[in-house]
C-alpha cells in the first residue's frame, strides 16, 4: 500500500489533497455527531460555498445524511472512515512517526493522531477517541482499570462507546489516586465513574484530597473502607494516565512556594502519578498521595499514556524515559517534536 500511495503522491498530488479534505469533513461530522453547515465550515476554516459542494457530493455517495437539524455520517460513511484510517495515516506520514517512536522507546504500540491539541479542539477530540479505542482493545471482562484525572482523560471518557458487544459487567474502574480539589469533571473519580457507565462496568471511588500531609495520610489509611479501595486500585491490570508539564501541574495544584521552587530547581519537566520527572526520566519529587505507587505501575500488565500538543513533547519524552509505558497515544505535533529530538 505504501508504494501505491507514494506513486499517487507524485502523479496525482491533487487527488491526494481532495482525499484528505473529504476525509476531514466526514471525520469532523462523525466526531460532532450532528452539525449544521455553517458551524462545520467555521470549525474547518472553509467557506460555506466550498463546503456545500463537498457535502452534496458526500450525500450523493450515501456517506452523509442531511436533515433539517443538520448533517450526520451514515453507516456507510462510518465504515468508509474506518477503512480509510490507515491510508490517511500513511498519507500524513503518521505511520512513520509511530514506528520511530515505538522502536526508540521500546513500546508495544504508538498511536499518533493528526493535529496539535494545543490549538485544535478537533485534535483533542481525536486524541480522546484514539485513547478510548486503545483502552477497549486491551480491556478484559474481569479487569481492574485505574485512571488518572485531567482534561485528556476526561475526553477519553466522553469518547468511549456506550454500546459495545459485551458489557464489561465484572470489570472495575477506579481512580489512580484521590482527586478532590480539582474541577469536578476533571477529577479521577468523575472520569472513572463515567468510563464505567459507558462500558457497563462497575466502579469504586476514593473521596479524599489528591495531596495529603503525613499526619492526614496516616489517619485516613486507618479507615477500613479506604484501605479496601486502595487495595483494589493497587491491583489494577491496566493503568491509563495523562502526562502533564511539571510547572503547569504545580500551578494547577497550588503547591506551596517552597515545594514549587524545589520542583523547579530539580529540573522537573513532567508530572504523572503524583511524581515529577526530569528530562532523563528520573523521579525528582514525589507528592504524598493515596493510591497508586511507582511499584504498582511497574507491576501492571498494560500502562497507557496519553497526551497531546507540541508543548507536551518534552514532558512525554521524560515519562517515556521513565520506562513503564506499553501503549502511547499522542498527537502529530507532539510526535514531530519528539522525533526532531531523536534526530
Amino acid at each position: 500500500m505504501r508504494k501505491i500511495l507514494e506513486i499517487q503522491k507524485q502523479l496525482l498530488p491533487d487527488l491526494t489533497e481532495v482525499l484528505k479534505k473529504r476525509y476531514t469533513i466526514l471525520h469532523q461530522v462523525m466526531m460532532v455527531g450532528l452539525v449544521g453547515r455553517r458551524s462545520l465550515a467555521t470549525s474547518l476554516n472553509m467557506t460555506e460555498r466550498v463546503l456545500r459542494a463537498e457535502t452534496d457530493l458526500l450525500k450523493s455517495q450515501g456517506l452523509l445524511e442531511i436533515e433539517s437539524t443538520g448533517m450526520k455520517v451514515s453507516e456507510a460513511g462510518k465504515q468508509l472512515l474506518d477503512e480509510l484510517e490507515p491510508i490517511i495515516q500513511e498519507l500524513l506520514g503518521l505511520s512513520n512517526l509511530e514506528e520511530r517512536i515505538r522502536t526508540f522507546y521500546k513500546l508495544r504500540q504508538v498511536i499518533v493522531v493528526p493535529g496539535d491539541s494545543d490549538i485544535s479542539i478537533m485534535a483533542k477530540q481525536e486524541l480522546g477517541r484514539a485513547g478510548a479505542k486503545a483502552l477497549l482493545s486491551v480491556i478484559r471482562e474481569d479487569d481492574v482499570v485505574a485512571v488518572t484525572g485531567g482534561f485528556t482523560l476526561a475526553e477519553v471518557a466522553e469518547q468511549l462507546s456506550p454500546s459495545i458487544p459485551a458489557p464489561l459487567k465484572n470489570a472495575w474502574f477506579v481512580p489512580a489516586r484521590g482527586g478532590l480539589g480539582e474541577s469536578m469533571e476533571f477529577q479521577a473519580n468523575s472520569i472513572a465513574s463515567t468510563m464505567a457507565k459507558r462500558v457497563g462496568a462497575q466502579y469504586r471511588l476514593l473521596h479524599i484530597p489528591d495531596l495529603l500531609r503525613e499526619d492526614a495520610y496516616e489517619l485516613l489509611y486507618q479507615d477500613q473502607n479506604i484501605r479496601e479501595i486502595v487495595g483494589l486500585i493497587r491491583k489494577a491490570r491496566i493503568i491509563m494516565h495523562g502526562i502533564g508539564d511539571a510547572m503547569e501541574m504545580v500551578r494547577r495544584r497550588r503547591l506551596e512556594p517552597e515545594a514549587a521552587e524545589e520542583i523547579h530547581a530539580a529540573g522537573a519537566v513532567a508530572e504523572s502519578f503524583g511524581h515529577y520527572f526530569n528530562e532523563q526520566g528520573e523521579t525528582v519529587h514525589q507528592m504524598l498521595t493515596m493510591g497508586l505507587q511507582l511499584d504498582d505501575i511497574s507491576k501492571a500488565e498494560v500502562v497507557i499514556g496519553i497526551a497531546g500538543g507540541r508543548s507536551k513533547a518534552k514532558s512525554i519524552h521524560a515519562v517515556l524515559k521513565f520506562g513503564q509505558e506499553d501503549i502511547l497515544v499522542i498527537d502529530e505535533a507532539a510526535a514531530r517534536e519528539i522525533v526532531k529530538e531523536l534526530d
Side-chain angles (χ1 to χ4, degrees):
M1 181 178 71
R2 182 171 298 178
K3 184 71 172 176
I4 295 172
L5 290 174
E6 288 301 323
I7 293 171
Q8 180 177 300
K9 284 181 186 178
Q10 293 176 34
L11 294 180
L12 301 165
D14 293 345
L15 185 59
T16 298
E17 292 307 311
V18 170
L19 175 60
K20 289 180 185 177
K21 179 169 66 175
R22 290 175 183 167
Y23 174 87
T24 301
I25 293 169
L26 270 180
H27 188 268
Q28 179 70 352
V29 175
M30 187 187 72
M31 294 296 294
V32 177
L34 186 67
V35 63
R37 186 177 285 121
R38 180 172 298 177
S39 175
L40 182 61
T42 300
S43 67
L44 294 173
N45 194 26
M46 190 179 293
T47 67
E48 284 192 59
R49 182 180 64 82
V50 171
L51 181 63
R52 183 181 297 110
E54 295 294 343
T55 53
D56 285 348
L57 183 144
L58 292 170
K59 179 188 176 185
S60 70
Q61 296 297 316
L63 304 174
L64 275 183
E65 296 174 0
I66 300 179
E67 304 172 355
S68 58
T69 52
M71 64 187 85
K72 64 181 182 180
V73 178
S74 67
E75 288 304 315
K78 291 176 183 177
Q79 183 178 343
L80 180 64
L81 282 172
D82 283 341
E83 293 170 353
L84 274 176
E85 191 166 342
I87 297 173
I88 295 297
Q89 293 285 98
E90 287 287 347
L91 287 175
L92 297 178
L94 303 187
S95 296
N96 181 55
L97 292 174
E98 290 173 344
E99 184 58 22
R100 292 196 61 186
I101 293 170
R102 188 194 68 79
T103 303
F104 184 85
Y105 294 104
K106 298 180 174 61
L107 303 173
R108 183 188 306 180
Q109 183 182 15
V110 175
I111 301 163
V112 176
V113 303
D116 183 348
S117 298
D118 285 343
I119 58 176
S120 168
I121 294 175
M122 183 176 172
K124 291 177 182 177
Q125 293 174 332
E126 181 61 12
L127 198 63
R129 188 184 76 91
K133 189 174 179 180
L135 177 58
L136 290 175
S137 73
V138 295
I139 194 169
R140 300 194 305 226
E141 172 68 15
D142 57 351
D143 272 338
V144 176
V145 182
V147 297
T148 64
F151 306 113
T152 307
L153 267 293
E155 189 62 48
V156 173
E158 286 302 310
Q159 295 295 335
L160 272 176
S161 171
S163 56
I164 57 176
L168 300 162
K169 60 182 180 180
N170 294 321
W172 288 86
F173 281 78
V174 293
R177 58 179 192 261
L180 299 183
E182 293 185 272
S183 299
M184 179 65 72
E185 64 269 32
F186 304 128
Q187 289 180 17
N189 277 332
S190 300
I191 291 167
S193 64
T194 299
M195 286 183 170
K197 291 169 185 174
R198 290 271 180 166
V199 300
Q202 304 177 71
Y203 61 91
R204 294 287 299 273
L205 306 180
L206 188 59
H207 293 294
I208 60 173
D210 188 16
L211 306 178
L212 296 167
R213 298 191 313 273
E214 192 168 348
D215 57 343
Y217 184 96
E218 296 296 336
L219 182 63
L220 285 168
Y221 202 66
Q222 292 175 21
D223 183 273
Q224 177 65 28
N225 185 52
I226 288 177
R227 282 206 308 274
E228 285 180 6
I229 297 171
V230 171
L232 183 63
I233 291 170
R234 291 179 175 171
K235 291 178 181 175
R237 189 183 78 88
I238 299 173
I239 297 170
M240 189 169 203
H241 69 95
I243 299 170
D245 173 85
M247 299 317 295
E248 174 63 25
M249 296 307 296
V250 164
R251 288 189 288 272
R252 279 179 54 189
R253 287 181 173 149
R254 300 183 179 90
L255 298 188
E256 296 293 331
E258 294 82 4
E261 179 56 35
E262 178 186 334
I263 291 169
H264 182 265
V269 297
E271 186 278 340
S272 201
F273 321 112
H275 291 71
Y276 290 81
F277 303 91
N278 64 16
E279 288 191 40
Q280 288 71 48
E282 300 163 339
T283 303
V284 295
H285 188 87
Q286 177 179 348
M287 309 305 298
L288 186 59
T289 63
M290 191 81 72
L292 279 181
Q293 304 300 321
L294 284 188
D295 60 334
D296 302 316
I297 297 161
S298 64
K299 293 173 187 173
E301 288 185 33
V302 184
V303 179
I304 306 172
I306 179 167
R310 187 184 305 275
S311 63
K312 288 282 186 71
K314 190 173 289 188
S315 303
I316 295 166
H317 167 77
V319 172
L320 292 176
K321 291 288 284 183
F322 172 60
Q324 298 300 322
E325 306 302 307
D326 296 295
I327 298 173
L328 177 68
V329 185
I330 57 176
D331 63 21
E332 180 182 359
R336 293 196 184 282
E337 284 296 304
I338 291 170
V339 168
K340 190 186 298 182
E341 290 302 313
L342 301 186
D343 289 338

